[in-house]
Amino acid sequence: MGDGPKNAKITLSFPLSAAPLPTSLTSPNHCHGSSSSSSPSPHRRRPSSKSSDKGSLWKLDATMDVKHRPFKPPRHDSSPSSSPSSSSSPMTVHALIRKDIKSPPPLKCSKLSSETQFHRSPPRSSTGPFGGCYARDGWDDRHRAANGTASPSQTAQILFSLGTSAYQRGGDAERREKITGRPSGKAGSPHGPSLHPPTLHLPPPLPPPPPPPSEGLTAPPHSSSYSPTDSLKPELICGVCHRLFSSASSLTVHMRLHRGSRALCCRYCGKVFIHSKRLQSHEASCRVPGLPSNTRSLLARIQGDDAAGTEVLAGDENHFVKVVDGNVIYFCSVCERSYMTLSSLKRHSNVHSWRRKYPCHYCDKVFALAEYRTKHEVWHTGERRYQCIFCWDAFATYYNLKTHQKTIHGINPSLISSEKTANGGYKQKANALKLYRLLPMRSQKRPYKTYSDSLHNGLLLPPTETPPLSLPGLGCALGPGDLQSLISGAHPQTVSSSVIVHSNQVTSGSEKSPVNSPSPENSDSQTVVKGPSRPIKKQRDSIDNHRKRSRDSSDTAEEGSRGRQDGETGRLFHKSRKSHSKSDISNSKQLSASVGSQVKEAGPLCQITVRIGEEAIVKRSISETDLRRDKSGDSEEEEEEEDLEVREHESDHDTEDNLWRPYYSYKPKRKAQAHLQRVKSWQRKLKYKRSIRLKRRAERLKNLSNKETEKSQDEEEDATTEEAEKLPKGGQGGLGGSHSSPSRLSRRALSRHTCPQCHKVCKTSSALNRHIRRHELSSSPEREREDKDTEPKTAETVADILSRDLETEKAELPSALSVSVISYSTPEERQGGSSLFLHAGYEEPPLVQDLRVQSLSRSPSPNEQEENLLMSSYPPGTLPFGPLGKVMVPNGGDLAKLPFYPDPYQLLYGPQFLAYPYNLAALPVALNMMAPGGDKVEPLPFLPAIFNYAATAGPYMGAAPHPLVANPSLYSGSSGSSKNVL
DNA sequence: TTCCGTCCTGCCAATCTCG
DNA sequence: CGAGATTGGCAGGACGGAA
């Protein structure tokens, strides 16, 4: 356990003298009153320094100290605040003090505090019209309000307002109270959120407790010790020795005396002293058993702020719990972030502790969160899981999908996007409609680590005993010190980066060789992971499972190194990739095998036939597995079957895998020109391979009957080729063993671009410009108004689009996309053809049991044809499958779990046209979510209100099934009036 | 300006541990 | 066996670096 981040706090305390006090500090107006304008969400949103004094030094300081992003461990390096020489903090301190004394902590001024201290807390947005609307029930109620009867716009407003007001205004005391635990009655008290000491110090590393800011300056303004200053100009008090000065300059000079002196920090609360005796006496009285030092200090500060209405519960060394009005808030003891859930906090805590490390299996990055790695690895695998339901194109990231749908299909995903919670989390909209499919992960899901696992493999060692970090790429164990140096942007003592990059990997492949000779630790860990030392599992944890887990790309560094081991000596990145790719394929085989076995049992949910003109007809079976949440239990049979398939995974890749393999595109990422040159030789090799592959494909086109077999071959080839193709980008470092990121890291900015407002340092001018723009936006008084206007505009847009499309539709009908989706809840239904389907075609009626995508407006590209051919290999037959009806139950149904293919509502009327370009407004009708005829359009029970068809509460608000559903005869088989046909 | 990788956090499901 | 803990995936926006 290293020394805490002493210097961080010290730095913040003393630099004060480095700069003259901002004149604004003395101005009573440096901050808005609590009742003044709302402030932007402190979280995520650009801190909106909307106050009139936005340009004030004091504010500048505030922003200097805290970036808009409250906590960015990995970027400490670039953060001015992390710089030991930072002089911003002191000013901040003064500002806070002054604010503390002069006025209630106005939100605007509390940016510092809100971000540093409780920024995580729910409230993140600026004060909205709903300022006190949550008072009654707290967050849950807020969410309910947002999800429940509130209209979309209301919801948006609510959401927007959720985060804005907290901490920010005295008028929002109630909300603030919930968040910060401060009693509302103290809105005007000096104990504003901004007063929290956290604003004065950086996230201390691990224990020992971070030295809080210097005694005076850093002491919580609310603390009694500070009361004497009420009548004094706070900025004229030395925070270290409490001496008073008649002028700021005098104080500045005085502070220099403290500079350089090594502050003494209380081991328990982090309080800083300049006299050792004082420290000793303080520590003697400070130590209180039961709570971790960090926690204690935090508690002291927080409780000091407003003990009333809050109850602090004991936590552990990593966190403490605070109950505010019945709402439990978890605080990280290190960085003081607040979390609504313990799991979130614990997940976050690893950023500090690096108790676990998640190395990328393809490069040498190590992540603090498994998810980071997972997302990162997608880059390596090229897996595309986000599939557009309109064109079936798959994308690697949600962002890409969204962009695609916006640009190609004219859909604004924001209309259907899920809601973000005030605390930055995600909460699915009750009526959310997914316009995409999330395909199952190609690689098998990683097994949950057992506690024992972690202990055994040495990854759970506490930071203090941080074992030499096994750096897969380095092939050697690094000591803590090395680790620090490797943590990108990490403050040497805070170790809060959430990603570690082994920059030295980038240089050359030869350096990577060590990878191949795994460190002893790696070996050990590997052994551990694979087997014997693993704790005894339940019986059901059969050897098969063990094997499976061992195979699985693991979460541990060992496993990562193992993956690289595959790549073995001197192997270049692409080889490593290839190796992985193989394992990946194996994994996919496993999965597909398992899927296949499921399909064998249950059969596909439905089949899809994609017809592109007359040139290609592709059929695809959609398994229920990726649509349903509750998969069938793991029967022994399944396990055995899976095991068998696993054993044969190297040779059986065809039949089972075919079911879903085509979902994934192995298109390589675009290569940079330079990279292309680099891999010229590689391309030459590829050329040859490609020619062969093309020949084979051509043959396949002629011989569809053999496509099953050939597809597997193609897959293999693709895998190989694509790996190579990806090499340029992923393998640029690949030659050195890393992907592009390392290369990015290796490029050091030639110059630094510092934000004049917050002193943030950006590496590029564009980044700086963007950053500054955020400042401007956030400071613009129009910002909020604009934000508020967004929702109505959106609604208008939908309406406009709808009307416009209605006009254009007639002329463009031929280009309509014909889509029919038919799903069955039961085999009987399948027989009968009951279904929900979307049919926007104009041709023959959709084939029952098929989904057809007919686009006559364009011919498929060769690649599409190829893909389609692959898909066409899917078994055409209909197979049994389980019911999904439960998902669709209007009453009590969980809309959040609504699959893309909603339940097999009966087809109440005929296929609907979905005009191209598709528009969201038309979708409900096309999806049969809307009653096509009648005087007024009514949504079917599951129609999300977001389409503006129904301003009333959605069907899932406890309403009875829609009449159309209850009594389909109402429509008497009408195919829908032209009125509603788009 | 755009693309892309990373970060973040509420929510949830799957899994594991423990009594 | 069930309750609670742990783990990790997902959503979707924020952000910054690089092209």
Side-chain angles (χ1 to χ4, degrees):
Chain A
M1 188 165 306
D3 280 348
K6 292 173 185 173
N7 54 352
K9 292 189 175 181
I10 292 172
T11 300
L12 291 173
S13 311
F14 294 118
L16 178 63
S17 60
L21 289 173
T23 56
S24 60
L25 286 179
T26 58
S27 166
N29 296 328
H30 68 275
C31 285
H32 278 296
S34 60
S35 62
S36 63
S37 68
S38 61
S39 67
S41 142
H43 183 78
R44 304 260 159 122
R45 286 171 198 268
R46 202 72 200 132
S48 63
S49 28
K50 293 171 182 168
S51 59
S52 59
D53 64 332
K54 70 179 178 182
S56 70
L57 289 176
W58 120 252
K59 211 162 223 190
L60 289 178
D61 281 350
T63 55
M64 282 170 61
D65 198 37
V66 181
K67 295 167 72 173
H68 61 282
R69 187 184 276 192
F71 177 66
K72 292 172 79 176
R75 296 174 187 175
H76 273 294
D77 56 339
S78 62
S79 170
S81 62
S82 65
S83 168
S85 61
S86 167
S87 62
S88 61
S89 304
M91 292 161 81
T92 297
V93 170
H94 278 281
L96 291 173
I97 292 170
R98 177 170 186 83
K99 197 171 62 168
D100 194 8
I101 295 171
K102 298 259 178 183
S103 66
L107 216 354
K108 312 211 156 176
C109 298
S110 66
K111 175 167 65 177
L112 263 181
S113 63
S114 65
E115 290 189 5
T116 54
Q117 173 100 4
F118 294 107
H119 63 274
R120 298 306 157 175
S121 293
R124 288 187 178 182
S125 49
S126 62
T127 313
F130 301 83
C133 63
Y134 313 119
R136 284 172 303 183
D137 294 323
W139 295 106
D140 288 343
D141 273 6
R142 273 168 261 176
H143 289 308
R144 276 194 291 273
N147 298 330
T149 58
S151 69
S153 59
Q154 285 175 329
T155 297
Q157 282 185 310
I158 291 171
L159 288 174
F160 180 78
S161 64
L162 270 180
T164 53
S165 51
Y167 319 129
Q168 318 250 342
R169 301 193 313 186
D172 282 339
E174 202 170 5
R175 191 179 329 162
R176 188 184 62 187
E177 181 180 12
K178 288 177 184 265
I179 297 159
T180 65
R182 294 182 189 84
S184 57
K186 296 190 176 183
S189 77
H191 310 309
S194 62
L195 302 178
H196 279 285
T199 61
L200 301 179
H201 67 244
L202 295 174
L206 304 173
S214 58
E215 210 168 300
L217 292 173
T218 62
H222 55 268
S223 71
S224 58
S225 66
Y226 196 72
S227 57
T229 65
D230 283 352
S231 59
L232 300 172
K233 291 183 179 180
E235 64 269 30
L236 302 183
I237 300 172
C238 172
V240 180
C241 63
H242 289 188
R243 281 184 62 178
L244 302 180
F245 298 86
S246 57
S247 67
S249 60
S250 301
L251 174 59
T252 300
V253 171
H254 167 79
M255 291 303 292
R256 293 198 183 113
L257 298 176
H258 295 302
R259 187 179 291 175
S261 67
R262 181 179 178 82
L264 302 173
C265 172
C266 172
R267 291 181 296 166
Y268 305 107
C269 70
K271 206 169 185 178
V272 176
F273 299 84
I274 58 173
H275 302 296
S276 59
K277 285 187 178 179
R278 186 179 296 178
L279 171 63
Q280 289 173 7
S281 62
H282 167 80
E283 283 186 344
S285 61
C286 185
R287 174 163 32 177
V288 176
L291 285 178
S293 54
N294 281 355
T295 299
R296 292 186 65 264
S297 70
L298 292 177
L299 291 182
R301 288 191 291 250
I302 293 170
Q303 286 183 313
D305 272 358
D306 54 342
T310 68
E311 178 187 1
V312 179
L313 306 177
D316 58 20
E317 60 182 11
N318 297 322
H319 76 279
F320 63 96
V321 182
K322 193 175 166 189
V323 177
V324 182
D325 289 350
N327 297 317
V328 178
I329 300 177
Y330 302 87
F331 290 87
C332 172
S333 296
V334 179
C335 67
E336 303 177 23
R337 285 184 156 190
S338 61
Y339 295 87
M340 299 300 289
T341 63
L342 182 59
S343 64
S344 294
L345 171 63
K346 290 194 172 182
R347 175 177 48 189
H348 154 81
S349 67
N350 197 53
V351 169
H352 300 302
S353 67
W354 280 94
R355 188 183 65 156
R356 286 192 172 136
K357 300 148 190 94
Y358 303 88
C360 171
H361 298 115
Y362 305 97
C363 67
D364 296 308
K365 275 193 172 182
V366 181
F367 298 87
L369 271 64
E371 185 193 351
Y372 295 172
R373 178 184 61 180
T374 300
K375 286 186 176 179
H376 163 82
E377 286 181 348
V378 168
W379 188 94
H380 291 289
T381 63
E383 188 176 11
R384 303 184 179 198
R385 300 181 55 213
Y386 293 87
Q387 188 178 44
C388 175
I389 65 170
F390 297 101
C391 62
W392 302 104
D393 276 352
F395 303 88
T397 66
Y398 174 82
Y399 168 84
N400 291 339
L401 169 78
K402 196 173 62 174
T403 301
H404 160 81
Q405 290 191 329
K406 185 177 180 180
T407 58
I408 304 300
H409 303 297
I411 293 174
N412 182 4
S414 66
L415 288 176
I416 56 170
S417 65
S418 300
E419 299 166 349
K420 239 192 151 170
T421 64
N423 208 20
Y426 158 79
K427 191 182 182 86
Q428 194 165 18
K429 269 183 182 174
N431 289 328
L433 178 66
K434 291 177 70 174
L435 295 182
Y436 63 93
R437 288 187 66 211
L438 182 61
L439 304 174
M441 261 193 285
R442 184 165 178 265
S443 59
Q444 194 175 26
K445 274 195 175 184
R446 295 178 173 81
Y448 291 89
K449 278 194 293 291
T450 63
Y451 316 132
S452 309
D453 264 348
S454 303
L455 290 172
H456 278 283
N457 64 25
L459 291 178
L460 288 180
L461 291 177
T464 54
E465 306 172 16
T466 301
L469 173 59
S470 169
L471 298 179
L474 294 175
C476 60
L478 298 179
D482 298 324
L483 172 61
Q484 285 177 0
S485 65
L486 286 174
I487 295 172
S488 64
H491 188 286
Q493 294 177 344
T494 56
V495 191
S496 53
S497 170
S498 55
V499 58
I500 296 176
V501 179
H502 317 300
S503 56
N504 56 340
Q505 299 299 313
V506 184
T507 54
S508 72
S510 59
E511 286 183 316
K512 180 123 176 122
S513 57
V515 173
N516 310 317
S517 56
S519 67
E521 181 192 349
N522 282 351
S523 302
D524 293 344
S525 304
Q526 230 173 304
T527 305
V528 171
V529 170
K530 287 190 175 182
S533 58
R534 196 178 173 117
I536 299 173
K537 296 261 179 187
K538 296 173 184 176
Q539 282 189 334
R540 65 187 174 93
D541 228 0
S542 61
I543 295 175
D544 295 339
N545 275 342
H546 271 294
R547 197 186 314 169
K548 177 174 151 191
R549 295 187 178 194
S550 299
R551 266 196 318 271
D552 179 273
S553 5
S554 61
D555 295 333
T556 64
E558 300 74 6
E559 286 172 297
S561 64
R562 182 190 59 198
R564 270 174 289 281
Q565 270 184 331
D566 291 344
E568 109 181 280
T569 317
R571 193 175 291 181
L572 298 183
F573 178 69
H574 71 274
K575 292 210 172 187
S576 177
R577 280 180 49 78
K578 179 175 181 178
S579 153
H580 171 86
S581 206
K582 283 186 178 178
S583 69
D584 217 14
I585 291 173
S586 304
N587 288 338
S588 71
K589 292 181 188 305
Q590 290 175 30
L591 181 54
S592 63
S594 114
V595 169
S597 64
Q598 289 180 7
V599 169
K600 285 174 186 174
E601 292 181 358
L605 179 62
C606 64
Q607 288 186 23
I608 298 174
T609 299
V610 178
R611 175 186 297 177
I612 303 175
E614 297 299 330
E615 297 168 322
I617 298 176
V618 179
K619 293 180 182 178
R620 179 190 306 183
S621 299
I622 294 181
S623 168
E624 187 180 354
T625 53
D626 58 338
L627 301 182
R628 63 183 177 188
R629 291 247 177 175
D630 54 338
K631 15 179 212 191
S632 58
D634 299 331
S635 67
E636 288 298 320
E637 281 188 14
E638 282 178 345
E639 285 191 5
E640 290 178 7
E641 187 176 357
E642 180 181 89
D643 184 49
L644 280 176
E645 286 167 342
V646 161
R647 288 179 214 154
E648 303 167 357
H649 70 275
E650 282 300 333
S651 57
D652 72 344
H653 22 140
D654 290 324
T655 54
E656 303 298 349
D657 201 14
N658 285 340
L659 284 172
W660 66 295
R661 181 182 296 173
Y663 288 162
Y664 299 96
S665 164
Y666 294 91
K667 292 175 187 171
K669 282 184 170 286
R670 231 178 353 193
K671 318 175 205 24
Q673 198 65 18
H675 299 158
L676 281 173
Q677 293 177 353
R678 262 195 225 171
V679 293
K680 240 179 180 177
S681 60
W682 250 103
Q683 289 181 330
R684 271 185 239 121
K685 295 177 184 175
L686 294 178
K687 245 185 179 177
Y688 177 72
K689 286 186 177 180
R690 276 190 193 138
S691 64
I692 295 179
R693 187 174 52 156
L694 288 176
K695 286 180 182 177
R696 290 184 184 176
R697 285 176 179 171
E699 290 175 359
R700 277 202 306 277
L701 288 173
K702 298 175 183 176
N703 186 8
L704 292 177
S705 61
N706 295 331
K707 58 199 164 207
E708 276 296 324
T709 304
E710 293 187 66
K711 188 176 70 174
S712 66
Q713 293 176 355
D714 181 66
E715 184 75 14
E716 286 287 329
E717 292 170 9
D718 281 351
T720 302
T721 303
E722 307 266 356
E723 290 159 15
E725 287 174 344
K726 288 175 187 172
L727 178 63
K729 185 173 181 181
Q732 52 182 333
L735 297 178
S738 295
H739 74 329
S740 66
S741 292
S743 80
R744 287 169 68 173
L745 289 172
S746 67
R747 283 183 222 139
R748 294 220 171 263
L750 298 178
S751 61
R752 293 282 177 175
H753 305 268
T754 305
C755 171
Q757 218 169 328
C758 67
H759 295 194
K760 174 177 173 51
V761 178
C762 300
K763 286 188 177 178
T764 65
S765 60
S766 64
L768 175 61
N769 289 336
R770 213 165 27 201
H771 171 87
I772 291 175
R773 231 174 293 142
R774 290 200 180 92
H775 274 305
E776 293 169 351
L777 283 176
S778 61
S779 62
S780 167
E782 306 297 329
R783 172 67 179 276
E784 271 191 15
R785 215 175 309 155
E786 291 173 2
D787 288 345
K788 289 174 185 176
D789 291 342
T790 300
E791 193 74 19
K793 279 181 184 175
T794 301
E796 277 185 8
T797 301
V798 172
D800 292 343
I801 290 175
L802 177 57
S803 59
R804 185 181 64 241
D805 287 348
L806 283 169
E807 294 177 0
T808 59
E809 163 62 18
K810 297 167 186 172
E812 297 181 358
L813 253 183
S815 65
L817 174 72
S818 172
V819 179
S820 62
V821 179
I822 300 182
S823 58
Y824 316 92
S825 61
T826 67
E828 291 72 21
E829 281 187 5
R830 188 192 310 121
Q831 294 290 335
S834 90
S835 63
L836 155 97
F837 72 82
L838 149 69
H839 182 65
Y842 44 88
E843 278 193 345
E844 59 198 84
L847 293 180
V848 175
Q849 304 171 356
D850 282 349
L851 172 140
R852 292 186 170 186
V853 177
Q854 300 170 335
S855 176
L856 303 183
S857 59
R858 65 186 184 107
S859 349
S861 66
N863 286 342
E864 288 172 332
Q865 287 188 31
E866 185 179 349
E867 267 190 13
N868 292 337
L869 283 173
L870 290 177
M871 289 192 291
S872 67
S873 63
Y874 279 9
T878 59
L879 299 173
F881 56 89
L884 286 179
K886 55 187 175 183
V887 185
M888 296 302 297
V889 174
N891 292 325
D894 187 356
L895 264 177
K897 297 173 182 175
L898 186 69
F900 159 58
Y901 303 95
D903 241 350
Y905 270 93
Q906 284 198 352
L907 182 61
L908 301 176
Y909 41 88
Q912 304 296 311
F913 288 118
L914 179 60
Y916 180 87
Y918 327 106
N919 66 79
L920 197 58
L923 195 59
V925 174
L927 286 173
N928 258 332
M929 289 177 170
M930 299 296 305
D935 293 337
K936 73 174 185 178
V937 177
E938 293 184 26
L940 292 185
F942 50 91
L943 173 65
I946 58 173
F947 292 108
N948 280 346
Y949 281 97
T952 57
Y956 288 92
M957 300 309 165
H962 189 277
L964 295 178
V965 173
N967 186 10
S969 63
L970 289 176
Y971 284 90
S972 61
S974 97
S975 294
S977 67
S978 58
K979 176 182 179 179
N980 293 304
V981 173
L982 296 179

